[in-house]
Amino acid sequence: MAVTDSSIDAEEMARVRRLLADAPLQRAPMWPAVAAAAFAAISALSLAAAMVVAPPVVVEHPLEQPR
């Protein structure tokens, strides 16, 4: 298949390239992602610390007699 046999219109492709070249580059703000990552890290560390510091749960059956 030759390059000229393409179903894509060359004039429309040139128009699209011109439109994309003239479009200003918009960058997404970075602070929301950094804030979410920091919140997740702080939450994970605080929950891990709570699991280490918390005393073990001792469950005694109410009908069981102490020995």
Side-chain angles (χ1 to χ4, degrees), residues 41-57:
I42 290 169
S43 297
L45 288 174
S46 63
L47 289 173
M51 291 297 292
V52 169
V53 174
V57 177

Side-chain angles (χ1 to χ4, degrees), residues 6-38:
S6 176
S7 63
I8 300 174
D9 188 12
E11 292 175 9
E12 288 298 316
M13 286 300 295
R15 178 179 159 269
V16 169
R17 286 191 179 108
R18 278 194 315 271
L19 288 173
L20 288 175
D22 294 340
L25 182 61
Q26 294 179 351
R27 303 186 94 184
M30 196 64 148
W31 68 266
V34 172

